[in-house]
Every structure is written in C-alpha cells, then in structure tokens.
Amino acid sequence: METLLRVEDLRTQFHTDAGLVHVVDGVNLELKKGEILGIVGESGCGKSVTSLSIMQLLPKGIGKVTSGNISLEGKDILAMSKSELRKMRGSQISMIFQEPMTSLNPVFKVGDQIMEAIRFHMKLSKKEAKSYAIEMLTKVGISRPESVVDEYPHQLSGGMRQRVMIAIAMACEPKILIADEPTTALDVTIQAQILNLMRQLQQEKGTSIMLITHDLGVVAEMCDRVVVMYAGQVVEETDVKSLFKNPKHPYTKGLLASLPQLTSESDRLNSIPGQVPALDEMPVGCRFAPRCEFRMSVCETSNPALLDTGELHNCRCHLYQEEGVSS
Amino acid sequence: MFGYILRRLLYMIPGFIGIILITFVLSRVLPGDPAVMIAGEQAPPDVIAKIRVELGLDQPIYIQFVDYVKKLFQGDFGTAWHTGHTVLQDFSSRLPATVELTLASIFIAILIAIPVGIIAAVKKESILDHISRVFSLIGACVPIFWLGLMFIFLFYSKWGFFPAPMGRISDGINPPTAITGLYILDSLLSGDMIAFKDSLMHLILPAICLSTGTMAIVARMMRSSMLEVIGQDYIRTARAKGMRESKVIMKHALSNAFIPTLTLLGLQFGFLIGGAVITETIFSWPGVGGYITDSILATDYAPIQAFTLMSAIVFSIVNLIVDVLYGALDPRIRYE
Ligand SMILES: Nc1ncnc2c1ncn2[C@@H]1O[C@H](COP(=O)(O)OP(=O)(O)OP(=O)(O)O)[C@@H](O)[C@H]1O
Ligand SMILES: [Mg+2]
C-alpha cells in the first residue's frame, strides 16, 4: 500500500510551566492510503501535539516543530507556504478536535460554519452548500438537520456539537482524517454510529484515518495498524493483530494487561506502577525504564532506538535490540 | 425584546428621581447665593431680599423642590440667570455643537482604537504592540486640559496648522444651512465645501483631544479581548478549515472580541460627556459644556441641574442601546 503521510523523527517543542521542553521527541509514523491507524498512549504523551504538528496548527508562540519531516504524498508540509497550507487544510487533511464544547464559534450558526469549508474548497454556491451541509448533518446522525443548520452552538448538546465537528471535518472528503478522541464525549450508541460513519468513509472514499483514542476496544474494532506512544516517543508500531496477540514493548504489555478481561480467572485490575516522568525530568535512558519490570542496567543509560523486530513490528526496547545484535 | 426595552426604561425612573434629588440638594447646599449674583455684590439688602422672593428662595426647601419637580414635568427647566434665556432655549442652541464634538470623538476613537487593538493583539510583542502600549498609557493618563493646551500651543500658536481655537467656524465664513445642526454634515449635505473644510479644521483638535482617553482604553480592551479570543479552540477550527488568516481574524475572532469592547464604549460615554465640558471650555467650543462651565462660575443652578439630568438620561439610553446591540451580536444572550 502506498504511503500518504510520513512523519519522520518529529520533534515539537513547547513553552510549558517547566520551561522549554520537547513534548514530542522523535516520533515516526506512516499512514497508508485507505488504512485506519490507531494512536494510543497515556494522557499527555503527545498524541494531540503530534496531530497539531501535522496540521501546522500548533499554538503560535507556544509550540513549534524544531526538527523532523512531515510529508504528504511526498510534499514537505513543513516547507509549505501559507496558501498551500490553507488548501491542504480541510480538503486534504481534516481534523476532528478533542474539545467538542469549545471548537465551534459561538456567534455563528452551525450551518454557516459547515458551509464555510464547503464553499471554500468545493466552490459551491450558497444554496448548494446549504443543502450539502444539511446532508452532512443527516449523515452524522443529527435528527431534524433542517432546523439544526440554523441553530447556534450553544443550543446543541456536547454530543451534537461533536457530530457537527465531524460533519465539518468530513464535508470536503479529505484524503486524511485525523480524529482526536472523536467519541469520548458521546454515549455508547452514538459512539458506535460515529465509528461506523468513519469506517464507511474509509471504505467508500478510501479515506485514511488517524484515530487517536484511549480505548483499546475501539482500536481492536476499527484499526488496521497501531502506534503506541509513551512520553513523546513511539514505543511500538505494528498491525492490530500482533499488537493484541504478541505485544513486545513492556509498556504495551502493561496497557493490555490493564484491560479488564472477561475471561481471566482473577478479577483484579492490573495497572502499570509508577508515573510518566515529568517533561523536564526525562530519564537519559529508556523513558519507560523507571516503571519497567524488565529493566536492565543498559536501560538506565541509553535510550533504545525504534527498530524493526521482524514482520514490520517496530519496537523501542533494549530487550529486542540485544536480541537483534546477538542473533 | 420590546418588553425588555420597556422594562429597562421603567428601571431607569428610580435612578432619575435620585439624580433630580441629589442635584437639587447639592445646588442649594453649595455656597454662593444666586440672588446676590443676580443683583450684584454691591446691591442693598432689600433688593436682594426682593429677588429671593421672586425666585422662591424664601420658601422652605421642600416646597422649592416640589415646585422644581412640577416644572420639570411641564418641560420647564428654569431660567439661566446669567444668560437671561430659559435653559431649554440655551440648550437647544448649543446642543448640536456638543453632539458634533462628541460624535466626532467617538468616531475617531473607534476608527483608531479598534484597528490598533487588533494589530497589537495579532502582532503581539512586536514593535507595533509596544508603540501602541506606550501611546495608550500616555493617552489614558494625560489630563484633557493639559493635552488641549498643548495642542493649541503647538498646532495653532507655534506651527499654525489649525485655525484659532475659537468656536466651530471662522468669523468670515457663513455657517452651512441648518439641517441636522452638525456643521460637518450640513455643509456636506448642502455641498458647501468652504464651510466643510473650515469647520472640519475647527473640529479636529478638540475632537482628538476629547477622544484620547477613550481611544487609549478602547485600544487596550480590544487588544486583550482579541488576544483571548485568538487563543480559543474555535479559531483553530477556522484555521483547520483552510480559512484565510485575514478572515480568521476579521470574521471569526473580531465578531467575538468586539462584544466586550462595545460595552466599554457605552460606559465611556459618561467620560466623554464630562470631558466635553473641559474640552469645550479650552477650545471656546460653543456647546453645552462651555455653557455649563459658565453656569458653574455664575452659581447658576438651573442649567447645571438640567445638564446633570440630561447627561444621566443620555448615558442610560446609550447603554440601553449597547445592551440591545450586545444581544444582536451574541446569540447566547436572549432578551425576553
Ligand atoms: N498549549 C500548550 N501549552 C503548553 N503545553 C502544552 C500545550 N499543549 C500541550 N502541551 C503539553 O504537551 C504535552 C503533550 O500534550 P498532548 O495534548 O499532545 O497530550 P495527549 O497525548 O493528546 O493527551 P490526552 O490523551 O490527554 O489528550 C503535555 O504534557 C502538555 O503539557
Ligand atoms: Mg490529546
């Protein structure tokens, strides 16, 4: 499969309370045409910052990409002009943001906010755009879409606002949809409906989707491949089957072990002991070492590289690097 | 909506009653006997006593008050002793000058402060931002009388860019035909370019002088509300849709950031009315403000009371309009 989006060694810096720190520190990922790529990892590990870096929508003056490459179909996003970026945003890559309550402009009608993107990228007339907006609202499962187009965001519930955001993101049929926890604010039935909608988009239009989520159940159901992030870095990347069957990185193993298992004899919930290191106190060695049960002395002195351990299963861990070296 | 406006108008009444009471009491408590002012310092006591009876000043104070309120309701604001006209006559001949000055000041303030505030926010921490910060600081704390005198000294006395600070139009030029009473507008409407140019030159200095404080505060307010809005998630959404940056700022950000600034503009109106009194005195502007200064110096109660009441009414109405506009700009606010 052809690669649409490639992120190489991305490093993104933020001004935080702890000073100037790299919150994303060497992220590599690849999104292939028509696939759904899951991104999982603990809160604060840099999932949203990675996607904002791709969109070039980092908050000005606070966050910026310091090194690395992001290319869309071979074109370097980091080198794009402002107008190239504008043409890319919304039509080639769209994003559903994590914050549904605040992502819509309170003073404009919902319909106008959907139509804006449609009219800009698809050059439709006002009337055509409006009926298209109503169609999009119907698609995302909003009942009485004809009246909702003329309503303001404060008149909608959180779930409805999230669906409006999804309608905006999907309206111009982008090649890539970045969905940052698109269903966290929704109840289970609507969640399933939205996930189906994304799947349908992927199957019918061949859209590639980057699905950021905390929910490993959603990953299992939706994704083709998965990237696991920890403390600003990718620690494991593989197809979804091997991730669940044969997780390699101790962090991934911990994540899976902390899932409540219906079949397991013990009903004790496992969780990974310890905490994510603070941004300004990153260990020099492996970032997961302080919490790792397989820790070796080398783990505290050198950070392992993300290496292919066979069958396109990448892992950032000394256990497998040793293996690779000795064999 | 209509009900809301009606209710607001009703709520204003107690405030106005309070103002009538306070100005009345103050004007009687303050030193200076109007009878003496009218008759002259040298007048014999029996003449003064006669005038006191004529004015009703010999009556107990509550009777004077009831008399005063009764007349107010008949549209009688009393007579200004120092001009010999009724207050209403004096006001109607001077009000257009004040309205022209105040409107010009607001216009200048908005025209400059809003773009400056936007640019300062968008180009935060740039040299433009720092310059606007310094000017705002100066503008907000320099007193009007000092600024007015400096303007006259520099732009009239020293460099002669502007005509003498004497009134609205030069002596040799005929005022335009009265349509609205505003010289600028009337001269434009009647196509009298000579009067237009001359009255514009007369208007510029006092209008800038009066607008400075408002301009400074509005620019700072615009900057801070713009900064807050620019950091909001929905601005990021607009960018994510591929919107042009100018559209993101002028449409998505401004429509939200202007709302608090509007409230401030309404409140600044009170400041402008007060500032007009000083500005008109400095520039010999023939408006209500200069007239009020004269009245104060002449211990002439009636115009002062009328002016205070009128200011309160204008201020309340302006702020009612602001609140109604607020509802039109922000769909989250509904008036029933
Ligand atoms: N606007 C910001 N200002 C300062 N620091 C930020 C900002 N946004 C993100 N960060 C920092 O970047 C780090 C990564 O944040 P990010 O939002 O990418 O996490 P995440 O993986 O999306 O987490 P979550 O699952 O909670 O959404 C965090 O530690 C956070 O402190
Ligand atoms: Mg996030």
Side-chain angles (χ1 to χ4, degrees), chain A residues 250 283-290 292-304 316-320 322:
Chain A
V284 280
C286 172
R287 295 188 169 183
F288 188 62
C292 182
E293 49 180 316
F294 306 104
R295 181 175 57 233
M296 303 173 290
S297 56
V298 61
C299 302
E300 284 164 24
T301 52
S302 94
N303 193 8
R316 185 191 285 278
C317 178
H318 282 298
L319 287 175
Y320 304 96
E322 298 282 296

Side-chain angles (χ1 to χ4, degrees), chain B residues 193-303:
Chain B
M193 289 326 281
I194 297 170
F196 174 73
K197 211 177 142 232
D198 192 74
S199 52
L200 184 65
M201 293 307 272
H202 276 81
L203 180 61
I204 288 178
L205 286 187
I208 293 180
C209 183
L210 178 55
S211 72
T212 311
T214 304
M215 206 189 299
I217 294 171
V218 171
R220 294 314 284 171
M221 180 71 179
M222 192 67 221
R223 176 187 183 271
S224 64
S225 59
M226 197 70 185
L227 272 181
E228 195 192 318
V229 168
I230 287 176
Q232 297 291 317
D233 291 336
Y234 54 80
I235 295 301
R236 188 180 59 192
T237 306
R239 293 197 178 114
K241 285 190 278 193
M243 294 294 107
R244 196 180 287 282
E245 189 61 21
S246 56
K247 200 165 182 190
V248 172
I249 298 296
M250 298 310 286
K251 183 178 168 193
H252 286 267
L254 189 58
S255 54
N256 285 277
F258 184 66
I259 298 172
T261 311
L262 182 71
T263 310
L264 182 72
L265 271 174
L267 295 174
Q268 278 294 307
F269 213 85
F271 175 83
L272 280 177
I273 295 174
V277 173
I278 304 169
T279 311
E280 291 186 1
T281 309
I282 297 170
F283 287 89
S284 312
W285 192 258
V288 177
Y291 170 66
I292 288 307
T293 312
D294 294 344
S295 307
I296 293 169
L297 294 175
T299 332
D300 203 345
Y301 299 152

Side-chain angles (χ1 to χ4, degrees), chain A residues 256-289:
Chain A
L256 292 173
S258 62
L259 280 179
Q261 303 251 313
L262 290 176
T263 51
S264 97
E265 306 91 72
S266 94
D267 42 27
R268 186 175 64 91
L269 271 180
N270 298 302
S271 66
I272 309 172
Q275 279 176 348
V276 189
L279 286 166
D280 54 339
E281 291 165 3
M282 279 298 166
V284 280
C286 172
R287 295 188 169 183
F288 188 62

Side-chain angles (χ1 to χ4, degrees), chain A residues 14-16 23-24 41-50 59 62 98 180-181 212 214 279:
Chain A
F14 263 81
H15 283 282
T16 65
V23 300
V24 166
E42 243 155 329
S43 182
C45 70
K47 304 180 297 287
S48 299
V49 170
T50 301
I62 302 176
Q98 198 173 351
D180 195 351
E181 318 235 357
I212 299 172
H214 279 123
L279 286 166

Side-chain angles (χ1 to χ4, degrees), chain A residues 52 55 57 60 86 89-90 97 99 102-108 113 116-117 120-121 152 154 165 168, chain B residues 233-234 236-245 247 251-253 255-256 259 329-332 334:
Chain A
L52 291 175
M55 292 291 284
L57 284 174
K60 269 189 211 148
R86 282 199 292 116
R89 290 186 195 133
F97 296 101
E99 302 82 7
T102 51
S103 288
L104 290 168
N105 194 327
V107 307
F108 294 119
Q113 299 190 52
E116 213 172 28
F120 176 68
H121 293 293
Y152 290 95
H154 73 275
M165 285 303 299
I168 292 176
Chain B
D233 291 336
Y234 54 80
R236 188 180 59 192
T237 306
R239 293 197 178 114
K241 285 190 278 193
M243 294 294 107
R244 196 180 287 282
E245 189 61 21
K247 200 165 182 190
K251 183 178 168 193
H252 286 267
S255 54
N256 285 277
I259 298 172
L329 291 176
D330 189 343
R332 285 165 293 186
R334 279 279 152 265

